[in-house]
């Protein structure tokens, strides 16, 4: 079964999770120290908000979007518990028109979700001058999780082909799993 774009799969997944948060992505914690100070962040495919909440807790102004209602409900509950503000919007990242109302951000983060070309293109309009697109995810299909397919892997060329400039990249391994983190900029930002 194709699981990544399957809304029902994610609804069920978030509905069946225990009432506790997962820790934020380790490499995001490391990188956050270098992000534009206390800027605005858009977290794409935010899930139940482990990264959005981490960034909000560290002084960033965070907007988090996902197509799963259950995920966003959990995010809001965690945010209330921690007395943090995270603006949320339920939206399907595959529909370009959904981005119209979002505005511009100093940083856009996308963790463990492969953006469509058209979405990555669209995001250029939503970055401020010197804004950064931060992408992290699997670089190779994990042997122990057949749900992650080739089409879910993060591919640097996807972004370079459509005019993003690579600021930094890091390939790293956690146990048997290989990941890649990209930070990208675009000349088009804020023009
Ligand atoms: C692997 S989870 C990653 C969640 C989060 N970024 C994290 O690191 O914990 C993938 C997320 O993508 C969301 N998603 C998948 N397809 C989507 C789409 N077309 N539009 C919006 N969200 C989507 C799912 O609901 C899920 O929350």
């Amino acid at each position: 079964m194709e699981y990544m774009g399957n809304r029902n799969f994610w609804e069920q997944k978030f509905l069946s999770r225990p009432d506790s948060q997962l820790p934020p992505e380790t490499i995001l914690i490391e990188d956050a120290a270098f992000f534009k100070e206390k800027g605005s962040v858009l977290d794409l495919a935010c899930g139940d908000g482990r990264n959005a909440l981490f960034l909000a807790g560290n002084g960033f102004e965070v907007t988090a979007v996902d197509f799963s209602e259950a995920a966003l409900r959990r995010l809001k509950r965690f945010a209330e518990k921690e007395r943090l503000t995270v603006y949320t919007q339920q939206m399907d990242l595959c529909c370009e028109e959904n981005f119209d109302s979002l505005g511009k951000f100093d940083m856009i983060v996308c963790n463990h979700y492969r953006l469509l070309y058209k979405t990555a293109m669209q995001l250029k309009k939503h970055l401020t001058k010197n804004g950064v697109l931060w992408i992290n995810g699997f670089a190779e299909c994990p042997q122990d999780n057949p749900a992650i397919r080739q089409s879910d892997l993060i591919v640097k060329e996807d972004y370079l082909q459509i005019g993003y400039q690579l600021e930094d990249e890091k390939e790293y391994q956690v146990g048997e799993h290989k990941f890649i983190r990209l930070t990208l900029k675009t000349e088009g930002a804020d023009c």
Side-chain angles (χ1 to χ4, degrees):
M1 181 188 70
E2 185 76 51
Y3 89 105
M4 185 49 89
N6 182 330
R7 197 159 171 169
N8 194 41
F9 169 91
W10 287 108
E11 257 339 90
Q12 293 313 315
K13 184 147 180 112
F14 288 113
L15 283 171
S16 60
R17 270 198 186 165
D19 193 27
S20 55
Q21 274 181 75
L22 294 173
E25 189 70 46
T26 304
I27 194 162
L28 180 70
I29 300 175
E30 291 166 12
D31 285 358
F34 305 103
F35 290 162
K36 199 168 170 180
E37 216 171 310
K38 313 304 177 204
S40 56
V41 183
L42 173 64
D43 183 1
L44 297 174
C46 61
D48 54 7
R50 60 191 182 121
N51 298 319
L53 291 160
F54 162 75
L55 291 166
N58 281 275
F60 294 90
E61 186 183 308
V62 186
T63 301
V65 303
D66 200 283
F67 68 1
S68 164
E69 201 182 332
L72 295 177
R73 243 192 343 259
R74 283 170 61 85
L75 189 164
K76 282 184 224 160
R77 208 170 54 242
F78 295 139
E80 264 169 36
K81 241 191 224 169
E82 293 184 34
R83 296 176 191 278
L84 293 171
T85 303
V86 174
Y87 305 100
T88 57
Q89 189 166 317
Q90 187 185 0
M91 62 180 256
D92 187 340
L93 293 173
C94 298
C95 301
E96 286 155 273
E97 56 275 20
N98 287 343
F99 286 83
D100 291 350
S101 60
L102 282 178
K104 285 183 185 269
F105 298 87
D106 298 318
M107 236 175 22
I108 299 178
V109 307
C110 189
N111 194 51
H112 288 296
Y113 175 80
R114 182 170 174 175
L115 296 164
L116 299 176
Y117 282 109
K118 63 175 184 179
T119 313
M121 279 294 274
Q122 175 92 5
L123 291 178
K124 291 181 179 181
K125 291 193 234 155
H126 296 279
L127 282 168
T128 56
K129 193 170 167 61
N130 294 320
V132 171
L133 175 60
W134 184 98
I135 306 282
N136 180 59
F138 282 100
E140 282 180 8
C141 292
Q143 301 277 327
D144 56 358
N145 187 353
I148 314 281
R149 297 171 175 199
Q150 197 73 26
S151 56
D152 298 317
L153 302 183
I154 302 304
V155 179
K156 178 174 59 179
E157 286 70 26
D158 285 358
Y159 299 94
L160 304 185
Q161 272 167 20
I162 55 171
Y164 281 93
Q165 291 108 46
L166 187 64
E167 283 279 300
D168 193 37
E169 78 181 297
K170 183 173 180 178
E171 288 188 285
Y172 62 102
Q173 192 150 346
V174 180
E176 297 291 296
H177 298 164
K178 287 195 175 160
F179 299 95
I180 183 163
R181 186 274 284 135
L182 306 172
T183 53
L184 302 140
K185 284 194 173 179
T186 170
E187 274 175 4
D190 240 11
C191 6

